[in-house]
Amino acid sequence: MQVTNSPPDLNPSCGWHGTLQLVFARQREATQLMHEYGKAPLKVQRPFYPEGSEVCHSAILHTAGGIVGGDRLSLNLQLQPDAHALVTTVAAAKVYRSNGLEAKQTIQVEIAPGACLEWLPLETIVFNQATYRQEMRIELAPGASWLGWEMTRFGRSARGEQFVAGNWRSHTEVWQQGRPLWCDRQWVPGSKELFDSPHGLAGWPVVGSFAFVGRPVEPDLVEKARALWDSYSGKMTGETGATRLMSGFLCRYRGRSTMEARQWFIAIWHLVRTHDLHRPACIPRVWQLEQRC
């Protein structure tokens, strides 16, 4: 695999153009971060190994503290054969009110045969009047797998803010040998009607998706995921769904709490890891520092 050259800078008055390139490789039964290149405001912390040398945990840091209109963030992650990496973020991402320009994040992922990437960022908080687009494309080689989630809060609901103006788009694609395995397009234009509509947010500010793609899963995995949510009866307030994909598994959440979404997703993550990756879930160290409602 070759590392792409860094893209040119944009005019500073048009926002940040941050880049981050990471290459993971397996050497002597250990996954190592073999190459890293970052340009502000993106950087990666030192890798750590809370579950042994086979899985490399890495945390991405956005040093500017938030995303504004005109920002362009480009991430490129490559996993060489049989590597296993877990990549998360140090803190929740904040997308501020737009200055008239769109903010955009683009993520390109290449996963070689036998490799696995777990993409588990903390939530994104989209302020009212923000304009934001995120695009992620994953190229899977035969025998590779990708596990990822996305959690988004629309508006600073603790302050009573709703997402009634602005625009949010999220587009994720997973491909294997020129064939699409899963394409997911989401669009939430800020409006009071959509915020309250049962076909939109139904008055709930948090949505989330969890996906595992790269290999077929048995129907009982779907039933177990649904049973996990049912076991929270009386404790959770959101709505959820789980279904099989052509080559994988998908769960959705809509509700009031990012902690509630994360709790369910972590339980599903543990289920998938035990069932298909043959190891229990290991909570990244940076999450243990997070305390939010």
Side-chain angles (χ1 to χ4, degrees):
M1 295 183 182
Q2 294 183 345
V3 178
T4 58
N5 293 327
S6 57
D9 288 322
L10 295 179
N11 186 326
S13 64
C14 297
W16 289 97
H17 193 165
T19 63
L20 185 65
Q21 298 170 353
L22 305 176
V23 178
F24 297 91
R26 186 177 177 91
Q27 295 188 340
R28 297 180 182 178
E29 305 303 319
T31 298
Q32 299 180 18
L33 179 57
M34 301 300 295
H35 170 85
E36 62 176 278
Y37 170 83
K39 182 185 293 184
L42 296 175
K43 64 182 296 185
V44 64
Q45 293 187 335
R46 180 177 61 86
F48 49 102
Y49 296 88
E51 53 184 316
S53 61
E54 292 186 2
V55 183
C56 179
H57 287 221
S58 294
I60 296 172
L61 175 64
H62 187 285
T63 59
I67 301 169
V68 300
D71 283 0
R72 295 291 183 269
L73 304 177
S74 302
L75 293 84
N76 185 289
L77 284 69
Q78 299 179 11
L79 274 72
Q80 295 183 1
D82 299 318
H84 189 162
L86 186 156
V87 179
T88 185
T89 54
V90 172
K94 300 178 181 65
V95 185
Y96 296 119
R97 182 179 63 185
S98 174
N99 54 7
L101 300 174
E102 180 185 70
K104 184 176 181 180
Q105 176 173 274
T106 303
I107 305 172
Q108 298 286 338
V109 180
E110 298 177 44
I111 308 178
C116 176
L117 172 64
E118 297 176 88
W119 173 255
L120 306 176
L122 295 175
E123 66 269 16
T124 298
I125 303 170
V126 182
F127 286 36
N128 189 41
Q129 300 182 41
T131 302
Y132 181 60
R133 177 190 299 265
Q134 53 189 20
E135 298 178 352
M136 186 173 193
R137 182 178 174 114
I138 300 103
E139 298 283 352
L140 289 181
S145 59
W146 172 81
L147 182 154
W149 68 38
E150 172 184 280
M151 292 173 284
T152 305
R153 175 179 291 277
F154 293 99
R156 292 169 293 174
S157 48
R159 299 187 179 188
E161 180 182 276
Q162 296 181 340
F163 189 66
V164 295
N167 214 323
W168 174 86
R169 294 179 185 269
S170 178
H171 183 195
T172 302
E173 293 186 356
V174 183
W175 291 73
Q176 188 174 64
Q177 295 184 306
R179 181 172 65 108
L181 298 183
W182 180 54
C183 295
D184 186 48
R185 291 179 179 267
Q186 299 184 59
W187 175 35
V188 178
S191 71
K192 181 65 174 174
E193 292 75 18
L194 185 66
F195 191 91
D196 292 331
S197 170
H199 303 293
L201 298 177
W204 286 339
V206 178
V207 298
S209 300
F210 176 107
F212 175 60
V213 186
R215 66 187 71 172
V217 300
E218 298 299 326
D220 69 317
L221 186 64
V222 177
E223 296 305 320
K224 288 178 180 177
R226 293 170 179 167
L228 278 173
W229 181 259
D230 292 340
S231 70
Y232 298 141
S233 178
K235 302 177 183 178
M236 302 292 201
T237 60
E239 299 176 339
T240 64
T243 187
R244 294 169 71 195
L245 299 174
M246 179 173 58
S247 183
F249 170 64
L250 172 66
C251 296
R252 302 282 200 193
Y253 171 88
R254 183 174 69 175
R256 302 187 185 279
S257 169
T258 52
M259 287 297 291
E260 185 175 275
R262 196 198 305 184
Q263 182 178 344
W264 187 49
F265 284 173
I266 288 175
I268 298 169
W269 174 43
H270 178 80
L271 184 67
V272 173
R273 261 195 165 216
T274 303
H275 191 274
D276 284 88
L277 302 181
H278 309 297
R279 63 173 65 244
C282 178
I283 302 298
R285 186 163 47 192
V286 294
W287 293 359
Q288 297 172 9
L289 303 178
E290 294 291 318
Q291 297 291 333
R292 26 168 161 351
C293 58

